Amino acid sequence: MFAAPVGSSVLTFEDARRVIEEQAALIRSNMPASGTESVELLAAAGRVLAEPVAADRDLPPFARSTRDGYAVRSADLIHLPATLEWVAEIKAGETLDRIPANIGSEQTASIMTGAPVPAGADAVVMVEYTSQHGQRVEITRSVVSGENIVPRGAEAREGSLLLDRGLRLNEAGIALAASVGKIRLQVCKRPRVAVLTTGDEIVEVSATPGPTQIRNSNSYSLAAQIQRAGGEPLLLPVAPDEPQGLRRLIEEGLKADLLLMTGGVSMGRYDLVEQALAELQAEFFFTGAKIQPGRPVVFGRGGAGALGRERRATYFFGLPGNPVSTMVTFELFTRPILEALAGQSPRKLVFLHARLKSEIHVKTGLKRFLPAILSGEFEHSEVEIVAWQGSGDIAATARANCYIVFPANRESISAGEWVAVMKSNC
Ligand code: AMP
Ligand code: MG
């Protein structure tokens, strides 16, 4: 007998994505689920910040010259060329006692990039427009007040928020934390993501497969995607296409912060994942999306039967077993949930655009994510689908570096048209 259907709800891609974003926002409002830890500054790169970082002093801490040149009163340069009296040289890091207390009218001080602008001066003239002869400096270009100076506190005021909780730290975030003296940062712990692959034909990578057996590759593509999205993968043994064994492993997986299953969610006689989850009183948000590859994707939360009351219900995905479907549905649907569990603030999915190299024809009705190669250089981007044998073709996908996003209502796109592109690593 075929598995009894679980009140099927197949959504458009956009609706399915909305459901995901709503759940991600809910998760984030109760965060952090997996706790926080303190790490050294550099180890925080790529991690999600769990503490606010504030300015420990004004940034910049003094009015900073952005040029090598001469600090002047702009009003002295109305008539050109102007000749001013040289009174000091101020280099970057100059101690306070060596900086003149005031630059008077008709006076100037030579100043270096990054040095503090002395009181009295309100602009810096670039060295290119000056010539110095002993104590006299001739200037051939006027400046407006404030030119080539960043005022004290213009970038941030002491005590103001620089980096907020939920930010995934890139190099600029790390630099900012460094600039305010943070040698350690409090970051969110990585959520543990259980990966459960199903199928009687699937064997471990180290096994010698029989003539009709397939090595488990999905657990590894998923583990790589989980790590990149900020999670810690936990690979469970391969589940058989048999209800008891499958159920036992699903219950095991639901103890993690998130459970990803691959395979067993299509309409085949042995596709038992939905059934097993339904028996555990799982809640289903959707049981399919109008996309290709990846149509049978399942998203839900549960199952109370397996967990008792002390823990909140675990989100799960039943991702289709076809390897490219698994990778695509992770990027489209799993990633936001995982990022939310990792403490990261939600963000929208945005596609880039590139010009299509050769015409594509497809059937309408499904939004398609076709493995493709993005090439070109600088402002000239172009993209072309890779020849593939459908959503089981890992080799074709490994040659690709992005997916072309093909709208559900178009039958063809001509060469030279702009198309949406999803980079596989962003
Ligand atoms: P299913 O979703 O279970 O119907 O599987 C669809 C296709 O994906 C079948 O050809 C499976 O053999 C293949 N497949 C399922 N799980 C994996 C896996 N873990 N690694 C590689 N291929 C898989
Ligand atoms: Mg299967």
Side-chain angles (χ1 to χ4, degrees):
M1 217 187 71
F2 274 49
V6 177
S8 127
S9 91
V10 178
L11 305 183
T12 62
F13 165 68
E14 288 76 12
D15 285 345
R17 182 67 201 194
R18 239 162 259 137
V19 168
I20 291 283
E21 287 175 13
E22 274 165 28
Q23 293 304 316
L26 268 177
I27 296 169
R28 261 296 277 146
S29 59
N30 303 324
M31 108 97 216
S34 28
T36 68
E37 60 185 323
S38 163
V39 297
E40 279 182 17
L41 177 60
L42 195 49
R47 302 293 300 271
V48 178
L49 192 61
E51 62 169 331
V53 172
D56 66 331
R57 54 183 184 156
D58 286 346
L59 293 181
F62 49 83
R64 177 177 66 213
S65 174
T66 62
R67 303 283 183 204
D68 294 325
Y70 288 85
V72 297
R73 291 173 175 245
S74 56
D76 285 346
L77 304 184
I78 289 167
H79 303 292
L80 295 174
T83 302
L84 305 179
E85 178 201 356
W86 179 81
V87 293
E89 180 188 80
I90 308 166
K91 48 188 175 42
E94 194 68 273
T95 52
L96 288 177
D97 58 302
R98 294 174 53 94
I99 299 173
N102 187 47
I103 296 293
S105 183
E106 310 278 305
Q107 290 186 330
T108 185
S110 42
I111 190 164
M112 312 299 144
T113 301
V117 178
D122 68 342
V124 171
V125 186
M126 288 165 69
V127 70
E128 287 86 335
Y129 308 115
T130 66
S131 51
Q132 184 166 358
H133 312 280
Q135 302 296 109
R136 309 191 72 74
V137 181
E138 189 183 88
I139 296 177
T140 56
R141 170 79 76 101
S142 63
V143 277
V144 294
S145 181
E147 199 167 328
N148 299 324
I149 296 176
V150 180
R152 175 175 177 158
E155 291 162 0
R157 283 281 172 207
E158 180 180 338
S160 67
L161 182 68
L162 298 176
L163 300 169
D164 207 353
R165 290 187 182 94
L167 180 81
R168 191 151 187 199
L169 290 159
N170 61 12
E171 59 274 26
I174 294 291
L176 196 51
S179 75
V180 299
K182 298 290 281 186
I183 52 170
R184 298 190 74 83
L185 284 169
Q186 200 69 25
V187 297
C188 298
K189 283 193 179 154
R190 294 189 176 95
R192 288 167 315 117
V193 183
V195 178
L196 175 55
T197 208
T198 70
D200 285 339
E201 79 280 29
I202 310 297
V203 296
E204 298 295 351
V205 177
S206 53
T208 306
T212 58
Q213 290 180 319
I214 300 289
R215 290 195 186 90
N216 174 16
S217 61
N218 287 349
S219 292
Y220 295 90
S221 60
L222 283 174
Q225 287 175 293
I226 290 165
Q227 281 175 342
R228 221 173 46 207
E232 201 176 287
L234 218 113
L235 304 196
L236 295 174
V238 175
D241 287 324
E242 171 272 307
Q244 270 75 45
L246 178 61
R247 182 178 163 141
R248 196 181 52 74
L249 283 165
I250 290 178
E251 285 178 321
E252 184 63 31
L254 287 170
K255 293 180 188 156
D257 298 310
L258 176 65
L259 167 61
L260 305 187
M261 291 158 283
T262 98
V265 289
S266 345
M267 292 304 284
R269 190 181 295 270
Y270 298 101
D271 288 331
L272 304 171
V273 164
E274 276 181 54
Q275 183 64 31
L277 286 161
E279 283 169 21
L280 294 167
Q281 287 117 53
E283 178 186 359
F284 290 85
F285 299 113
F286 56 79
T287 57
K290 291 180 187 161
I291 57 169
Q292 195 263 327
R295 194 173 193 281
V297 58
V298 172
F299 173 48
R301 190 170 50 184
L307 296 168
R309 284 175 197 277
E310 77 284 1
R311 250 186 125 253
R312 75 194 158 76
T314 304
Y315 285 91
F316 62 78
F317 284 89
L319 306 177
N322 263 316
V324 187
S325 311
T326 312
M327 294 181 234
V328 168
T329 46
F330 179 97
E331 282 308 312
L332 296 177
F333 302 125
T334 307
R335 177 180 269 274
I337 296 295
L338 175 50
E339 287 180 351
L341 289 165
Q344 195 173 340
S345 299
R347 56 191 173 130
K348 294 285 178 190
L349 181 63
V350 231
F351 302 129
L352 312 173
H353 280 81
R355 275 189 200 280
L356 190 62
K357 249 173 142 173
S358 346
E359 190 175 31
I360 316 177
H361 290 271
V362 295
K363 288 203 195 97
T364 56
L366 299 176
K367 190 160 189 136
R368 290 169 203 266
F369 296 85
L370 306 174
I373 295 177
L374 180 65
S375 59
E377 195 180 21
F378 303 134
E379 287 82 4
H380 303 283
S381 55
E382 41 185 29
V383 67
E384 182 164 45
I385 50 170
V386 292
W388 72 326
Q389 301 299 319
S391 48
D393 193 342
I394 317 176
T397 308
R399 286 194 297 275
N401 59 11
C402 69
Y403 298 94
I404 289 179
V405 184
F406 204 108
N409 58 358
R410 295 277 305 266
E411 256 177 3
S412 68
I413 300 185
S414 325
E417 272 192 69
W418 289 97
V419 286
V421 167
M422 177 170 78
K423 279 292 283 165
S424 25
N425 60 357
C426 65

